Amino acid sequence: MVIPAALNSVPLTYKIVAILAATAFFLPLLLVLLRRMGSYRPFVWLTAYWAVSGIVNLILVGEKIAGSNVTIVIERVYNLAGAPLMLLILYKSVQIEKIQNSIKKVLPAFLCAVLAVTLITRLQYYAEVLMVGAGLVIVLIYILWVIAHYLKGIKLHNEDQALQFIYYALLFEYGISVITFVFNYIIPHHRDIADSFLIYHLSIIVSTLIASYGLLSYRPRSAKQKAGQKKRIMEREAEIRFL
């Protein structure tokens, strides 16, 4: 997700919203811990992503460093690392072999491309715009691919339904990131700093609430249900390959 520029130029009310949004990042992981869902690894990986984002955002809203060179460095590093990190999270959490295999090929290629562009351009502004924009597009494609898989008609059990809400949350978050990207990189001289921050932080609150709803709806299933779900998925994938 693309983080807007420093907080020191926005109103106090927006700074309060920013603090609420930064703490909201931790809500999904807190639910996983409180409800003892740590044995289901996709939940852990996805909620850990939001927790890392929360730590970064708490640092950025800290008045002691807001507007400093430290803030600028953190923003640039996080924005550049956001797409590779999200691709890694998707690879670890998506239980769809075709998508995993695709990410396994795309992620190293994307990292190599980022490294090459960085070395060649010495990370000039246009290079950063290119890499962040390309990363957003790639992540959105994979999130849409995952959601499309869940909408194919496979009968979902509880953890799949919970994951579906989490991917909806990610789709909303990264969709808003496109707007943040445009205001931050494409038309930076025409943006309203306050409104850009408000959109960004409200999107965080909404997306984490969507994910939290999915986690609250989760109910563990029995071993018999797990075996039946695995069989149905294999049958469905066999049908797709046959077609």
Side-chain angles (χ1 to χ4, degrees):
M1 191 171 189
V2 178
I3 298 179
L7 273 168
N8 56 330
S9 58
V10 299
L12 176 61
T13 303
Y14 286 15
K15 291 182 181 181
I16 294 173
V17 174
I19 294 172
L20 292 175
T23 54
F25 270 122
F26 298 96
L27 182 57
L29 181 59
L30 181 63
L31 287 174
V32 167
L33 295 175
L34 290 177
R35 303 195 67 200
R36 299 179 181 179
M37 295 184 286
S39 59
Y40 192 57
R41 293 303 174 188
F43 289 163
V44 176
W45 280 103
L46 289 162
T47 56
Y49 156 74
W50 272 305
V52 171
S53 299
I55 292 171
V56 173
N57 277 264
L58 283 175
I59 293 173
L60 293 177
V61 299
E63 286 294 336
K64 292 183 180 180
I65 66 169
S68 69
N69 289 333
V70 176
T71 302
I72 295 171
V73 171
I74 292 174
E75 287 170 1
R76 293 193 73 186
V77 170
Y78 183 80
N79 286 338
L80 287 168
L85 176 62
M86 190 70 249
L87 288 174
L88 175 63
I89 297 295
L90 289 174
Y91 176 75
K92 291 291 187 178
S93 62
V94 173
Q95 297 180 316
I96 305 166
E97 186 177 356
K98 189 174 182 179
I99 297 178
Q100 282 182 326
N101 290 337
S102 177
I103 296 175
K104 194 174 181 180
K105 297 174 183 176
V106 170
L107 179 54
F110 182 67
L111 287 174
C112 290
V114 168
L115 180 60
V117 171
T118 301
L119 292 175
I120 294 170
T121 66
R122 296 183 180 180
L123 201 56
Q124 294 183 28
Y125 183 75
Y126 72 89
E128 184 175 343
V129 173
L130 176 64
M131 290 185 289
V132 174
L136 275 177
V137 171
I138 292 171
V139 170
L140 275 171
I141 288 172
Y142 277 110
I143 292 173
L144 288 169
W145 190 358
V146 173
I147 291 174
H149 176 83
Y150 282 114
L151 297 177
K152 281 181 179 177
I154 299 174
K155 184 178 179 181
L156 300 178
H157 282 284
N158 211 262
E159 65 264 28
D160 300 307
Q161 292 173 345
L163 277 175
Q164 195 170 7
F165 275 102
I166 292 175
Y167 292 125
Y168 287 149
L170 289 174
L171 178 62
F172 179 82
E173 181 179 323
Y174 272 84
I176 296 298
S177 281
V178 173
I179 299 174
T180 308
F181 172 78
V182 170
F183 280 111
N184 252 30
Y185 291 97
I186 307 300
I187 52 172
H189 301 298
H190 297 84
R191 72 171 184 251
D192 186 317
I193 298 283
D195 288 344
S196 179
F197 260 105
L198 185 62
I199 292 171
Y200 169 73
H201 290 114
L202 287 177
S203 73
I204 292 171
I205 293 171
V206 171
S207 62
T208 52
L209 287 176
I210 294 172
S212 298
Y213 175 81
L215 292 169
L216 286 171
S217 69
Y218 171 70
R219 296 291 182 278
R221 55 183 171 137
S222 66
K224 183 178 179 181
Q225 288 174 319
K226 290 180 181 179
Q229 172 70 356
K230 184 176 181 180
K231 181 180 178 181
R232 279 189 291 272
I233 291 176
M234 292 176 64
E235 290 174 349
R236 177 60 178 173
E237 290 180 346
E239 290 175 4
I240 293 172
R241 285 196 296 268
F242 179 77
L243 293 174

